Amino acid sequence: MAVLIAPAPGDQLAAVFDALQRWYDDPVFRGCAILNAAAQHHVDAVRTITAATWTATLNS
């Protein structure tokens, strides 16, 4: 894959989101491994803490 460097800071930021979108669109993408592992943890407290932390992060 060729790497292009955008000259303007705004274009560089947009390029990050473009790269993330290509990653998310990949059929083998399964999300964040750490969040997935915590969400599937067998201890309810771990799932509760993960959910609360993720919600707080999204709302900040």
Side-chain angles (χ1 to χ4, degrees):
M1 175 192 314
V3 177
L4 302 175
I5 300 174
D11 293 337
Q12 292 173 5
L13 181 60
V16 170
F17 289 101
D18 291 341
L20 286 172
Q21 189 62 58
R22 285 191 301 275
W23 185 36
Y24 298 153
D25 290 342
D26 189 324
V28 298
F29 177 72
R30 301 239 159 101
C32 174
I34 294 171
L35 284 176
N36 290 341
Q40 295 173 8
H41 202 279
H42 63 277
V43 176
D44 287 336
V46 172
R47 290 195 308 266
T48 301
I49 291 167
T50 302
T53 303
W54 182 243
T55 301
T57 301
L58 291 176
N59 291 329
S60 63

